[in-house]
Amino acid sequence: MVQELKAAKIFGGWNRRYKHKSDVLGCDMTFTVFYPPACESSPVPVLYFLSGLTCTDENVTTKSGIQRKAAEEGIAIIAPDTSPRGLKIEGDSDSWDFGEGAGFYLNATQPKWKQYRMYDYIIKELPSILKQFKELNIAEASITGHSMGGHGALTIGLKHPDLFKSISAFSPISNPISVPWGQKAFSGYLGDDKESWRQYDATELVKGYKGPSRKILIDVGTKDDFLENQLKPDVLAKAAPGTPVSVDLRLQDGYDHSYFFISTFIDDHVSHAAKALKSS
Protein backbone atom coordinates (compact mmCIF):
# COMPACT_ATOMS: atom_id res chain seq x y z
CA MET A 1 0.00 0.00 0.00
CA VAL A 2 1.33 3.42 -0.97
CA GLN A 3 0.62 6.37 1.30
CA GLU A 4 0.88 9.96 0.09
CA LEU A 5 2.74 12.03 2.67
CA LYS A 6 2.53 15.51 1.16
CA ALA A 7 1.98 17.42 -2.06
CA ALA A 8 3.07 20.80 -3.40
CA LYS A 9 2.27 22.54 -6.67
CA ILE A 10 5.28 23.69 -8.69
CA PHE A 11 5.64 24.98 -12.27
CA GLY A 12 2.05 23.99 -12.99
CA GLY A 13 2.60 20.39 -11.88
CA TRP A 14 2.77 18.58 -8.57
CA ASN A 15 5.45 17.18 -6.31
CA ARG A 16 3.98 14.25 -4.41
CA ARG A 17 5.94 12.36 -1.75
CA TYR A 18 4.99 8.79 -0.89
CA LYS A 19 5.80 6.09 1.65
CA HIS A 20 5.44 2.34 1.22
CA LYS A 21 6.59 -0.90 2.77
CA SER A 22 9.40 -2.36 0.68
CA ASP A 23 9.42 -6.13 0.42
CA VAL A 24 12.85 -6.01 -1.23
CA LEU A 25 14.50 -3.92 1.48
CA GLY A 26 12.41 -4.93 4.48
CA CYS A 27 11.60 -1.42 5.66
CA ASP A 28 9.47 1.60 4.89
CA MET A 29 10.76 3.64 1.94
CA THR A 30 9.93 7.07 0.61
CA PHE A 31 10.03 8.39 -2.94
CA THR A 32 8.91 11.58 -4.65
CA VAL A 33 7.25 12.00 -8.04
CA PHE A 34 6.97 15.25 -9.95
CA TYR A 35 3.92 15.14 -12.21
CA PRO A 36 4.12 17.69 -15.06
CA PRO A 37 0.94 19.42 -16.27
CA ALA A 38 0.94 17.21 -19.40
CA CYS A 39 0.02 14.12 -17.38
CA GLU A 40 -3.46 15.52 -16.89
CA SER A 41 -4.26 14.62 -20.49
CA SER A 42 -2.18 11.47 -21.08
CA PRO A 43 0.50 9.32 -19.42
CA VAL A 44 3.98 10.84 -19.59
CA PRO A 45 7.47 9.28 -19.77
CA VAL A 46 9.68 9.31 -16.69
CA LEU A 47 13.20 10.31 -15.71
CA TYR A 48 14.70 8.65 -12.64
CA PHE A 49 17.08 10.81 -10.60
CA LEU A 50 19.33 8.85 -8.23
CA SER A 51 20.80 10.97 -5.46
CA GLY A 52 24.19 10.81 -3.77
CA LEU A 53 25.74 10.06 -0.40
CA THR A 54 23.76 11.27 2.65
CA CYS A 55 20.81 12.33 0.48
CA THR A 56 17.14 11.37 0.50
CA ASP A 57 14.50 11.63 -2.23
CA GLU A 58 13.92 15.27 -1.29
CA ASN A 59 17.34 16.70 -2.13
CA VAL A 60 16.82 16.92 -5.88
CA THR A 61 13.17 17.91 -5.66
CA THR A 62 13.83 20.81 -3.27
CA LYS A 63 17.24 22.07 -4.42
CA SER A 64 17.72 21.51 -8.16
CA GLY A 65 14.75 23.15 -9.88
CA ILE A 66 14.48 20.06 -12.08
CA GLN A 67 10.71 20.51 -12.27
CA ARG A 68 10.87 23.63 -14.47
CA LYS A 69 12.33 21.88 -17.51
CA ALA A 70 10.46 18.66 -16.77
CA ALA A 71 7.18 20.57 -16.86
CA GLU A 72 8.17 22.14 -20.18
CA GLU A 73 9.16 18.78 -21.70
CA GLY A 74 6.22 16.85 -20.27
CA ILE A 75 8.35 14.39 -18.30
CA ALA A 76 7.73 13.05 -14.81
CA ILE A 77 10.63 12.93 -12.34
CA ILE A 78 11.03 9.88 -10.11
CA ALA A 79 13.23 10.52 -7.07
CA PRO A 80 13.83 7.47 -4.85
CA ASP A 81 15.69 7.38 -1.54
CA THR A 82 19.34 6.30 -1.49
CA SER A 83 19.29 3.35 0.92
CA PRO A 84 17.16 1.32 3.33
CA ARG A 85 16.45 3.13 6.58
CA GLY A 86 15.50 2.01 10.07
CA LEU A 87 16.85 -1.54 9.79
CA LYS A 88 18.96 -1.03 12.94
CA ILE A 89 21.94 -2.95 11.62
CA GLU A 90 24.95 -2.49 13.88
CA GLY A 91 27.23 0.11 12.33
CA ASP A 92 24.80 1.34 9.68
CA SER A 93 25.01 4.92 10.96
CA ASP A 94 28.67 5.02 11.96
CA SER A 95 29.91 6.79 8.83
CA TRP A 96 28.39 9.05 6.20
CA ASP A 97 29.77 7.08 3.24
CA PHE A 98 28.57 3.59 4.20
CA GLY A 99 25.24 2.27 5.51
CA GLU A 100 22.22 4.53 5.78
CA GLY A 101 22.26 7.14 3.01
CA ALA A 102 24.93 5.17 1.14
CA GLY A 103 23.30 2.17 -0.53
CA PHE A 104 25.44 2.46 -3.71
CA TYR A 105 22.61 1.05 -5.86
CA LEU A 106 23.86 -2.54 -5.65
CA ASN A 107 22.67 -5.86 -4.20
CA ALA A 108 24.78 -6.66 -1.15
CA THR A 109 26.01 -10.23 -0.85
CA GLN A 110 27.47 -10.06 2.67
CA PRO A 111 25.01 -11.57 5.18
CA LYS A 112 25.03 -8.59 7.55
CA TRP A 113 24.01 -6.24 4.74
CA LYS A 114 21.73 -8.60 2.81
CA GLN A 115 18.83 -6.13 2.96
CA TYR A 116 20.85 -3.52 1.10
CA ARG A 117 19.43 -4.29 -2.33
CA MET A 118 18.92 -0.89 -3.91
CA TYR A 119 19.70 -2.32 -7.35
CA ASP A 120 16.66 -4.61 -7.23
CA TYR A 121 14.62 -1.84 -5.65
CA ILE A 122 15.33 0.56 -8.53
CA ILE A 123 14.90 -1.85 -11.45
CA LYS A 124 12.14 -4.09 -10.06
CA GLU A 125 10.16 -3.01 -7.00
CA LEU A 126 9.84 0.72 -7.56
CA PRO A 127 8.72 0.38 -11.20
CA SER A 128 6.14 -2.21 -10.14
CA ILE A 129 4.74 0.30 -7.65
CA LEU A 130 4.74 3.13 -10.17
CA LYS A 131 2.61 1.07 -12.56
CA GLN A 132 -0.42 1.89 -10.41
CA PHE A 133 -0.14 5.60 -11.24
CA LYS A 134 -2.10 6.11 -14.44
CA GLU A 135 -0.37 9.44 -15.11
CA LEU A 136 2.97 7.70 -15.76
CA ASN A 137 4.20 5.73 -18.74
CA ILE A 138 7.03 3.91 -16.99
CA ALA A 139 7.77 1.83 -20.09
CA GLU A 140 9.36 5.02 -21.45
CA ALA A 141 12.13 5.83 -18.98
CA SER A 142 15.53 7.48 -18.75
CA ILE A 143 17.96 7.69 -15.84
CA THR A 144 20.32 10.26 -14.34
CA GLY A 145 21.90 10.93 -10.97
CA HIS A 146 24.55 12.68 -8.91
CA SER A 147 27.79 11.40 -7.35
CA MET A 148 26.95 7.99 -5.83
CA GLY A 149 23.67 8.34 -7.71
CA GLY A 150 25.60 9.13 -10.88
CA HIS A 151 27.39 5.83 -10.34
CA GLY A 152 23.99 4.19 -9.96
CA ALA A 153 22.59 5.83 -13.08
CA LEU A 154 25.59 4.79 -15.17
CA THR A 155 25.71 1.18 -13.99
CA ILE A 156 21.97 0.56 -14.04
CA GLY A 157 21.55 2.31 -17.38
CA LEU A 158 24.40 0.37 -18.98
CA LYS A 159 23.20 -2.97 -17.63
CA HIS A 160 19.60 -2.33 -18.70
CA PRO A 161 19.47 -0.45 -22.02
CA ASP A 162 16.12 -2.17 -22.56
CA LEU A 163 14.67 -0.29 -19.58
CA PHE A 164 16.31 3.13 -19.97
CA LYS A 165 16.41 5.10 -23.21
CA SER A 166 19.16 7.47 -22.10
CA ILE A 167 21.79 7.89 -19.39
CA SER A 168 23.39 10.97 -17.90
CA ALA A 169 25.16 11.88 -14.67
CA PHE A 170 26.47 14.72 -12.54
CA SER A 171 29.86 14.17 -10.88
CA PRO A 172 29.55 10.37 -10.99
CA ILE A 173 31.80 7.91 -9.18
CA SER A 174 32.90 6.54 -12.53
CA ASN A 175 35.47 3.88 -11.61
CA PRO A 176 34.55 2.86 -8.04
CA ILE A 177 36.84 -0.19 -7.88
CA SER A 178 39.81 2.20 -7.97
CA VAL A 179 38.72 4.89 -5.48
CA PRO A 180 38.27 4.99 -1.68
CA TRP A 181 34.48 5.47 -1.68
CA GLY A 182 33.94 2.52 -3.98
CA GLN A 183 36.47 0.27 -2.31
CA LYS A 184 34.92 0.88 1.11
CA ALA A 185 31.38 0.26 -0.13
CA PHE A 186 32.19 -2.74 -2.31
CA SER A 187 34.31 -4.51 0.32
CA GLY A 188 31.58 -3.94 2.91
CA TYR A 189 28.59 -4.91 0.79
CA LEU A 190 30.17 -7.42 -1.61
CA GLY A 191 33.14 -8.84 0.29
CA ASP A 192 36.71 -9.42 -0.83
CA ASP A 193 36.01 -11.00 -4.23
CA LYS A 194 37.07 -8.04 -6.36
CA GLU A 195 35.92 -9.77 -9.53
CA SER A 196 32.33 -9.37 -8.29
CA TRP A 197 32.89 -5.62 -7.94
CA ARG A 198 33.22 -5.18 -11.70
CA GLN A 199 29.48 -5.63 -12.30
CA TYR A 200 28.90 -2.34 -10.45
CA ASP A 201 31.71 -0.33 -12.04
CA ALA A 202 30.68 1.89 -14.97
CA THR A 203 34.12 1.89 -16.56
CA GLU A 204 34.25 -1.90 -16.58
CA LEU A 205 30.70 -2.08 -17.93
CA VAL A 206 31.52 0.29 -20.78
CA LYS A 207 34.49 -1.89 -21.78
CA GLY A 208 32.19 -4.90 -22.17
CA TYR A 209 29.05 -3.14 -23.35
CA LYS A 210 27.28 -4.88 -26.25
CA GLY A 211 23.92 -3.08 -26.28
CA PRO A 212 22.50 -0.39 -28.55
CA SER A 213 24.51 2.80 -29.00
CA ARG A 214 24.35 5.21 -26.09
CA LYS A 215 25.57 8.78 -25.76
CA ILE A 216 26.14 9.48 -22.08
CA LEU A 217 26.13 13.09 -20.91
CA ILE A 218 28.36 13.76 -17.88
CA ASP A 219 28.89 17.12 -16.18
CA VAL A 220 31.60 17.64 -13.56
CA GLY A 221 32.81 20.85 -11.97
CA THR A 222 36.51 21.68 -12.20
CA LYS A 223 36.45 22.82 -8.56
CA ASP A 224 34.83 19.59 -7.36
CA ASP A 225 36.89 18.51 -4.34
CA PHE A 226 36.28 14.85 -5.20
CA LEU A 227 37.16 15.01 -8.91
CA GLU A 228 40.65 13.50 -8.86
CA ASN A 229 40.48 11.07 -5.95
CA GLN A 230 36.90 9.78 -6.02
CA LEU A 231 35.15 10.45 -9.34
CA LYS A 232 37.61 9.79 -12.21
CA PRO A 233 35.20 10.51 -15.11
CA ASP A 234 38.19 10.76 -17.45
CA VAL A 235 38.89 7.05 -16.92
CA LEU A 236 35.35 6.25 -18.00
CA ALA A 237 35.61 8.51 -21.06
CA LYS A 238 38.85 6.85 -22.14
CA ALA A 239 37.19 3.41 -21.97
CA ALA A 240 34.42 4.32 -24.43
CA PRO A 241 36.17 4.57 -27.85
CA GLY A 242 35.69 1.37 -29.82
CA THR A 243 32.46 0.53 -27.96
CA PRO A 244 28.82 1.47 -28.75
CA VAL A 245 29.08 4.04 -25.94
CA SER A 246 30.13 7.64 -26.45
CA VAL A 247 30.76 9.92 -23.48
CA ASP A 248 30.14 13.66 -23.65
CA LEU A 249 32.26 14.67 -20.66
CA ARG A 250 31.83 18.37 -19.91
CA LEU A 251 34.19 19.94 -17.36
CA GLN A 252 32.35 22.98 -16.06
CA ASP A 253 34.81 25.67 -15.05
CA GLY A 254 34.67 26.80 -11.44
CA TYR A 255 31.75 24.61 -10.33
CA ASP A 256 31.86 22.30 -7.31
CA HIS A 257 30.01 19.16 -6.17
CA SER A 258 26.93 20.92 -4.78
CA TYR A 259 23.37 21.50 -5.87
CA PHE A 260 24.39 24.99 -6.98
CA PHE A 261 26.24 23.15 -9.74
CA ILE A 262 23.42 20.68 -10.41
CA SER A 263 20.77 23.38 -10.63
CA THR A 264 22.88 25.28 -13.20
CA PHE A 265 22.98 22.38 -15.67
CA ILE A 266 19.92 20.31 -14.78
CA ASP A 267 17.95 21.56 -17.79
CA ASP A 268 20.51 19.99 -20.14
CA HIS A 269 20.05 16.60 -18.52
CA VAL A 270 16.27 16.78 -18.71
CA SER A 271 16.57 17.75 -22.38
CA HIS A 272 19.01 14.87 -22.96
CA ALA A 273 16.41 12.47 -21.58
CA ALA A 274 13.53 14.12 -23.42
CA LYS A 275 15.27 13.80 -26.79
CA ALA A 276 15.70 10.06 -26.33
CA LEU A 277 12.23 9.49 -24.91
CA LYS A 278 10.47 11.44 -27.65
CA SER A 279 12.38 9.71 -30.45
CA SER A 280 11.68 6.18 -29.19
Side-chain angles (χ1 to χ4, degrees), residues 154 172-179 198 201-207 218 220 227-241 243 245 247 249 251:
L154 291 173
I173 307 172
S174 303
N175 189 206
I177 63 176
S178 69
V179 302
R198 296 182 185 278
D201 185 294
T203 297
E204 295 299 315
L205 291 172
V206 164
K207 292 176 182 177
I218 296 178
V220 185
L227 177 58
E228 298 299 327
N229 293 329
Q230 301 282 13
L231 305 182
K232 296 189 180 297
D234 57 316
V235 177
L236 173 66
K238 290 174 183 176
T243 77
V245 176
V247 177
L249 174 57
L251 297 176

Side-chain angles (χ1 to χ4, degrees), residues 23-261:
D23 294 330
V24 166
L25 304 175
C27 62
D28 287 339
M29 290 292 287
T30 56
F31 64 90
T32 298
V33 178
F34 168 68
Y35 298 91
C39 71
E40 295 177 4
S41 56
S42 62
V44 297
V46 304
L47 172 61
Y48 289 80
F49 187 101
L50 307 186
S51 290
L53 291 164
T54 75
C55 292
T56 71
D57 55 297
E58 291 195 292
N59 286 75
V60 66
T61 56
T62 60
K63 295 180 180 180
S64 73
I66 193 171
Q67 299 93 336
R68 185 194 302 272
K69 191 65 173 178
E72 179 184 319
E73 295 283 5
I75 294 175
I77 303 300
I78 311 298
D81 203 348
T82 53
S83 70
R85 296 184 190 270
L87 295 175
K88 298 182 179 178
I89 299 172
E90 182 183 1
D92 65 1
S93 300
D94 288 354
S95 59
W96 63 274
D97 56 357
F98 186 84
E100 283 200 1
F104 269 81
Y105 304 100
L106 49 71
N107 286 340
T109 56
Q110 296 305 288
K112 180 177 179 179
W113 303 100
K114 64 183 180 180
Q115 288 172 270
Y116 273 63
R117 297 172 57 199
M118 286 300 295
Y119 179 85
D120 277 355
Y121 179 75
I122 297 298
I123 68 166
K124 295 179 181 178
E125 187 172 33
L126 184 55
S128 72
I129 290 168
L130 295 172
K131 284 181 180 178
Q132 69 184 273
F133 301 132
K134 66 182 187 305
E135 301 94 339
L136 307 177
N137 177 10
I138 63 166
E140 296 294 321
S142 288
I143 193 165
T144 188
H146 172 233
S147 195
M148 177 187 72
H151 143 77
L154 291 173
T155 56
I156 290 172
L158 288 166
K159 288 167 72 107
H160 295 279
D162 56 323
L163 299 181
F164 301 100
K165 301 297 194 300
S166 73
I167 308 166
S168 72
F170 292 92
S171 313
I173 307 172
S174 303
N175 189 206
I177 63 176
S178 69
V179 302
W181 277 344
Q183 291 164 354
K184 179 177 181 177
F186 288 2
S187 61
Y189 294 132
L190 303 174
D192 296 331
D193 178 12
K194 294 186 178 180
E195 191 61 32
S196 70
W197 297 8
R198 296 182 185 278
Q199 65 179 308
Y200 297 113
D201 185 294
T203 297
E204 295 299 315
L205 291 172
V206 164
K207 292 176 182 177
Y209 182 78
K210 298 292 193 293
S213 61
R214 284 287 180 268
K215 182 177 181 179
I216 300 175
L217 172 63
I218 296 178
D219 277 316
V220 185
T222 61
K223 296 298 184 181
D224 191 316
D225 291 338
F226 306 113
L227 177 58
E228 298 299 327
N229 293 329
Q230 301 282 13
L231 305 182
K232 296 189 180 297
D234 57 316
V235 177
L236 173 66
K238 290 174 183 176
T243 77
V245 176
S246 62
V247 177
D248 182 8
L249 174 57
R250 309 192 308 185
L251 297 176
Q252 304 293 358
D253 187 47
Y255 288 89
D256 60 15
H257 198 74
S258 72
Y259 271 84
F260 296 116
F261 159 62

Side-chain angles (χ1 to χ4, degrees), residues 3-36:
Q3 175 188 357
E4 185 176 308
L5 298 177
K6 60 183 179 181
K9 193 168 187 178
I10 178 170
F11 298 121
W14 287 89
N15 267 354
R16 298 189 185 275
R17 195 179 194 218
Y18 301 96
K19 180 174 75 172
H20 72 103
K21 177 69 174 180
S22 169
D23 294 330
V24 166
L25 304 175
C27 62
D28 287 339
M29 290 292 287
T30 56
F31 64 90
T32 298
V33 178
F34 168 68
Y35 298 91

